[in-house]
Amino acid sequence: MAASSRRNPPPLPGAENQDPLSEMADEDSDEGEDIFVGNSNPVAEAFQPDTANGEEPADLFSEAETSTAVNSSITTSKSNGVHSDNENDLFAEVSVELSMENPSTTAKSSGAEFTPSLTRSATQPESMEQLEEEKDEDSFDMEVAVTNPEKIGDGMNAYMAYKVSTRTTLPMFRNRTFSVWRRFSDFLGLYEKLSVKHSLNGCIIPPPPEKSVVGMTKVKVGKDDSSSADFVERRRAALERYLQRVVCHPSLLQDPDVREFLERDELPRAVGTHTLSGAGFLKMINRASDAVSKMTIKISDSDAWFDNKLQEVESEELQLRKLHAVVDSLVNHRKELCGNTAVFAKSMAMLGNSEDNTALSRALSQLAEVEDKMETLHQEQAASDFFILAELLADYIRLLGAVRGCFEQRMKTWQRWQEAQSTLQKKREVEAKLLWANKPDKLQQAKEEITEWEGKVTQYERDFDRISVTVRKEFLRFEKEKSKDFKSQIVKYLESLLQSQQRHVKFWEAFLPEAKAIA
Amino acid sequence: MLFDRPRAVNVDLQTDATLQVDISDALSERDKVKFTVHTKSTLPNFKQNEFSVVRQHEEFIWLHDSFVENEEYAGYIIPPAPPRPDFDASREKLQKLGEGEGSMTKEEFTKMKQELEAEYLAIFKKTVAMHEVFLCRVAAHPVLRKDMNFHVFLEYNQDLSVRGKNKREKMEDFFKNVVKSADGVLVAGVKDVDDFFEHEKTFLLEYHNRVKDASSKSDRMIRSHKSAADDINRIASTLYTLGTQDSTDVCKFFLKVSELFEKTRKIEARVAADEDLKLADLLKYYLRESQAAKDLLYRRGRALVDYENANKALDKARAKNKDVLQAETSQQVCCQKFEKISESAKQELIDFKTRRVAAFRKNLVELAELELKHAKGNLQLLQSCVGVLKGDT
């Protein structure tokens, strides 16, 4: 995953000729917060007044642009909950591209307005120009890194703290570079929060790295060997990739919880992430029941696209699992080779010592040294195998699981719609019966219920359509990311192999004259 | 089955026109290997100038043992017997593959089968080479090449009816070895008057142990190498499957990478095979030869002890003036035996050193050259693949 992720800029109040205020209320769905606070945010000040267009609405527009981007540094972090249906309806109609387009007003007066003298917000105007051409390209810089794992505390209550550093030019953050300290449960907590809010929409939420009681216990106990160092490094790298994927995701980045995670100095301790907590158990039970219901749902979908894709995902997951197992085996064999080479090198050195022909003795010692160097190469290679290849595969196996979850969400939404339809049908039957039986008071109630359920059916149908669109969009984005990821990581792996072979060549080239010198 | 293989790699031998021996063909049957021993000679003892016979492993062992048991050859390093052809491991793997056929794709199965067959062939070639080396060493030795049994071995075109040792004989051998090693310790404890031999004794003991260690460690290292190459093979197959599921960009990418891994895997397997041939086999051979040299020293030591005992017996006989003539003759015999062995042993040990240095030089140079060749090959593959992949994106 590229450290500098490309992401869409914050969705600007997009559609053209609507009342800017109501638009903002609708569009700025991520916040759920008070949008009309254009004045008091520091970033907005960066916008010089002349960028605001002459029109009244445009003023609010331009300020609102930034304010929509402004995060909860001003407001209290209201939980924005699930998007309201209306907001998402508009979202659905407004495609990704539209949301990045200039509001018509600013577009008219663009050009001169966005002077290069603007410092901090320079990136936003820039991007507006670029946006038109490169809908998928994104000029916002956002880099996150997870570094410096430190053990805090002692004994069984100890934990590892990781430094989360962000470097960004996004105006919605308070600073351009900042860092905070987080622990593993904080990352899990973030995932939980995002899950709750977004998974119902069919978003693919990147899953965090897995818990490991064994691994962490070793670290806590203070086992200071290479295996716990490996474990910590593995976890650190996994957390970094996790965060990078989250900030890569255009909708998730908007979530105040994400910003809070990146910015806020002290996070309240995430509850419900402990393996053995009550919430943990509840989750396990829910997942189990989900699994059962999943197997029985089959959408009579006129759109075969979803079925095909789901099948593809499932078969791909299978192959990746197989591949991961083999790569694991390779890592182990390389580590074994490493150990055996070291032992052999020592043995060769001993043999060289006892050899009484001086030239041969020297050559054997040289051979022992070459083999020693080979051992280092093998070790580095094994690390490459693991950290680049195996972890990539593990990540994507988990991600494919999340994708499947997405599809399941869609199925559940469909089921809900179908059930509402059948309930409506039943209510209508009841009404018909009541008409026959001529019970006016009950009839009234029945009519009310019918109206209620008609509303629900419409809403659920809309939900289903909406989630279908989101899932499709998410899936395509995922495929693109996956393709990019695999390509870059595998190329990186091959490059490491390449370097290793180069050194291979050097070592043996150095040895050859020694061998020839034997007389 | 005719094939091309390197001749006698582990020993640097002068080929002499008067007697040339090689194994021109070999056939692997169920549980035995039949070697066709081909001789070209201008020596008068043979009926023809060129002829071939078919021999099995047991007949080689018989020949070797006949040398060892021959008192006349006590002063020579007897070329070590070739190890028994061992295809068990390979056969087991082939069998396991057959059993697991259902759990892998057809391509995977064919690939693995080819791999195992190649391995089988490699082991086969090795055992042929080792049997040949034994014969060549005998043929190159100025004294051993004249041995009657050797000529019979080379010429007699019927079965030598040398049956393998039965259980009782094997037990006898076992006890003989136990006695010998106990004796060997005693003999080794006797300080030698001759500095040369004293030095050789210390040297050989240490050298032999360290070669043994190096040999087993090199085997283990090479095995790990082969396992890693096998894994890369499986990775290539799985990537291929992933790549054929669709025709998207990333699938084409997978196919290219799979192809790359196929090729690098082959190179890695060659590296392991070459290390096996040039390093592991070299060490194994010198393990056996150093043992044969130790055996020579033991025999000399034994002769020395006998000589010293005969001296003591002579003194005693002279003192008692009883059986003096007998003691004198016995002492003289021992003396002659000891001196004869000492003389030839010295030369043999010097030759051993020369041979050893030459063999190590040859093999180490070839090893380095092969490692370089393979590393460069690998490098080129990787460079071109990375270039293509980067260019595509």
Side-chain angles (χ1 to χ4, degrees), chain A residues 333 343 355-356 495 516, chain B residues 217 231 353 356 361 390:
Chain A
H333 282 139
V343 163
E355 176 58 63
D356 52 3
E495 281 177 337
K516 288 190 168 154
Chain B
K217 306 269 161 72
D231 283 333
K353 198 179 303 268
R356 186 175 78 241
R361 181 185 193 282
K390 273 183 155 164

Side-chain angles (χ1 to χ4, degrees), chain A residues 1 388 392 396 479-495, chain B residues 248-254 256-257 386 388-393:
Chain A
M1 213 75 161
I388 303 181
L392 170 75
Y396 272 91
E479 288 278 284
K480 248 189 346 158
E481 285 291 328
K482 180 179 71 160
S483 173
K484 209 166 59 151
D485 227 353
F486 266 93
K487 283 190 195 175
S488 78
Q489 287 296 92
I490 290 184
V491 167
K492 190 164 146 199
Y493 176 68
L494 293 181
E495 281 177 337
Chain B
T248 58
D249 236 12
V250 78
C251 283
K252 291 202 198 100
F253 183 85
F254 282 151
K256 287 210 188 94
V257 178
V386 170
V388 167
L389 291 177
K390 273 183 155 164
D392 268 355
T393 47

Side-chain angles (χ1 to χ4, degrees), chain B residues 310-324:
Chain B
N311 272 336
K312 287 191 199 130
L314 181 56
D315 288 342
K316 238 198 264 178
R318 284 198 178 129
K320 284 194 196 153
N321 210 2
K322 194 177 163 196
D323 296 322
V324 173

Side-chain angles (χ1 to χ4, degrees), chain A residues 240-251:
Chain A
E240 190 174 81
R241 289 193 306 274
Y242 164 63
L243 265 193
Q244 282 166 349
R245 290 201 176 98
V246 169
V247 301
C248 227
H249 194 296
S251 332

